[in-house]
C-alpha cells in the first residue's frame, strides 16, 4: 500500500538515453587508455568499484564505439550475471563517477529530473521491494539476465519530487555513516594484521615480568 499522492510509473517512462555496452574481446584491452566500466564494477548502495583487471581499452576502440560511452551525468546498471549467487546485483542502479566505455552487460541512462531524483532511484534499487521485482523478471540458467524490455516495463513507486529528495537525503546520510564505519573497521583490521605479523614472528618482543 502506498500513499494516494504517490504515483506508479515504469522505468521506461522516466529514463532516457538508454545505452548498452560494447562487446570487447581480450585483445581489445590495454594497460592504459580509455576507462572501461564492467558490469561487475557496479555494487550495491550506489557504489562503483573499478576492478584491477581489464580497466582500459584503446582510445581507437572507444572512438569506434561512441554509442557505449557515458559521462558522470549518467546512472548505470547491470542486467547480466554469471550465476544465481549474484542476482542481487542485477538491476542495481548507481551513479557514474566519470567517463567510461560501457562493457557488455553494463547499461547507462539519464532520468527525467522533473519526475525523478536520481539518488532516490539509486536507493530504491537497493530496497526489498525493488529486489523482488528484479527477481521476478530474471531469466536464464548459464547466463542469468533481465531482458531490456522487461527492465524498462518495471513499475516503481514515485512520491512527489520534493518528498523523493527528502527521502534520498536521509538515506544518503545513513549510507555515508555506514561507509565511515566500514572504512574505520578496515583500518583496524589492517592494524591488527600488522601487529600479528610483528608479534607472532618475534620481530617485536613483548616484555614480561
Amino acid at each position: 500500500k502506498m500513499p494516494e499522492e504517490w504515483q506508479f510509473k515504469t522505468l521506461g517512462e522516466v529514463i532516457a538515453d538508454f545505452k548498452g555496452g560494447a562487446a570487447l574481446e581480450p585483445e581489445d584491452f590495454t594497460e592504459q587508455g580509455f576507462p572501461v566500466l564492467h558490469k561487475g564494477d557496479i555494487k550495491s548502495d550506489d557504489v562503483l568499484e573499478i576492478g584491477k583487471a581489464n580497466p582500459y581499452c584503446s582510445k581507437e576502440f572507444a572512438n569506434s564505439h561512441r554509442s557505449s560511452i557515458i559521462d558522470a551525468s549518467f546512472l548505470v546498471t547491470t542486467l547480466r550475471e554469471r550465476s544465481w549467487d549474484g542476482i542481487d546485483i542485477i538491476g542495481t542502479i548507481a551513479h557514474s563517477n566519470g567517463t567510461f566505455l560501457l562493457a557488455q552487460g553494463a547499461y547507462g541512462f539519464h532520468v527525467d529530473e522533473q519526475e525523478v531524483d536520481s539518488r532516490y532511484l539509486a536507493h530504491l534499487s537497493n530496497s526489498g521491494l525493488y529486489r523482488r521485482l528484479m527477481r521476478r523478471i530474471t531469466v536464464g540458467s548459464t547466463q542469468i539476465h533481465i531482458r531490456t524490455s522487461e527492465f524498462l516495463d518495471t513499475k516503481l513507486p514515485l512520491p512527489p519530487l520534493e518528498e523523493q529528495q527528502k527521502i534520498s537525503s536521509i538515506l544518503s546520510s545513513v549510507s555515508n555513516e555506514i561507509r565511515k564505519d566500514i572504512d574505520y573497521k578496515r583500518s583496524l583490521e589492517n592494524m591488527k594484521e600488522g601487529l600479528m605479523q610483528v608479534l607472532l614472528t618475534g620481530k617485536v618482543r613483548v616484555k614480561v615480568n
Side-chain angles (χ1 to χ4, degrees):
K1 293 182 179 180
M2 300 291 173
E4 289 184 4
E5 62 270 24
W6 287 29
Q7 301 180 66
F8 273 90
K9 290 199 173 183
T10 66
L11 277 166
E13 290 178 287
V14 297
I15 69 177
D17 301 329
F18 196 80
K19 294 188 174 191
L24 293 102
E25 299 296 334
E27 60 269 20
D28 295 321
F29 293 103
T30 56
E31 291 186 3
Q32 51 187 311
F34 201 93
V36 175
L37 178 66
H38 294 268
K39 60 183 175 63
D41 299 334
I42 302 167
K43 308 297 183 183
S44 59
D45 203 22
D46 200 4
V47 172
L48 287 188
E49 287 183 1
I50 307 304
K52 294 180 180 178
N54 302 330
Y56 298 104
C57 69
S58 69
K59 291 182 179 179
E60 291 76 19
F61 184 93
N63 284 332
S64 64
H65 293 80
R66 299 197 66 81
S67 61
S68 294
I69 292 178
I70 62 167
D71 59 28
S73 68
F74 277 77
L75 291 169
V76 293
T77 188
T78 176
L79 301 182
R80 294 189 183 185
E81 189 47 67
R82 290 183 179 176
S83 71
W84 285 98
D85 293 337
I87 63 168
D88 278 341
I89 296 299
I90 290 183
T92 299
I93 296 168
H95 285 82
S96 170
N97 55 14
T99 298
F100 299 98
L101 175 79
L102 296 169
Q104 202 166 29
Y107 297 81
F109 56 88
H110 286 124
V111 294
D112 181 349
E113 296 181 356
Q114 301 301 314
E115 295 271 355
V116 183
D117 178 79
S118 64
R119 292 185 305 162
Y120 171 83
L121 189 57
H123 286 300
L124 181 61
S125 76
N126 288 277
S127 68
L129 167 67
Y130 184 93
R131 300 299 345 141
R132 289 192 294 274
L133 291 173
M134 291 297 105
R135 289 190 193 100
R136 287 178 194 167
I137 59 175
T138 302
V139 296
S141 55
T142 54
Q143 181 68 63
I144 316 303
H145 64 281
I146 292 174
R147 296 183 183 93
T148 304
S149 58
E150 294 201 36
F151 177 72
L152 295 177
D153 281 341
T154 302
K155 282 190 174 182
L156 299 176
L158 293 178
L161 184 60
E162 186 177 356
E163 191 169 354
Q164 290 180 43
Q165 292 165 342
K166 288 181 179 178
I167 290 171
S168 63
S169 178
I170 293 168
L171 295 178
S172 294
S173 295
V174 174
S175 292
N176 289 336
E177 289 302 315
I178 291 172
R179 286 173 192 156
K180 286 179 185 177
D181 288 343
I182 290 172
D183 289 341
Y184 181 59
K185 177 176 178 284
R186 191 174 292 130
S187 69
L188 290 177
E189 288 171 343
N190 291 337
M191 184 187 300
K192 180 186 175 184
E193 264 189 49
L195 286 171
M196 289 174 67
Q197 179 65 22
V198 297
L199 293 174
L200 298 178
T201 59
K203 288 183 180 178
V204 171
R205 303 300 300 273
V206 177
K207 292 182 180 181
V208 295
N209 292 329

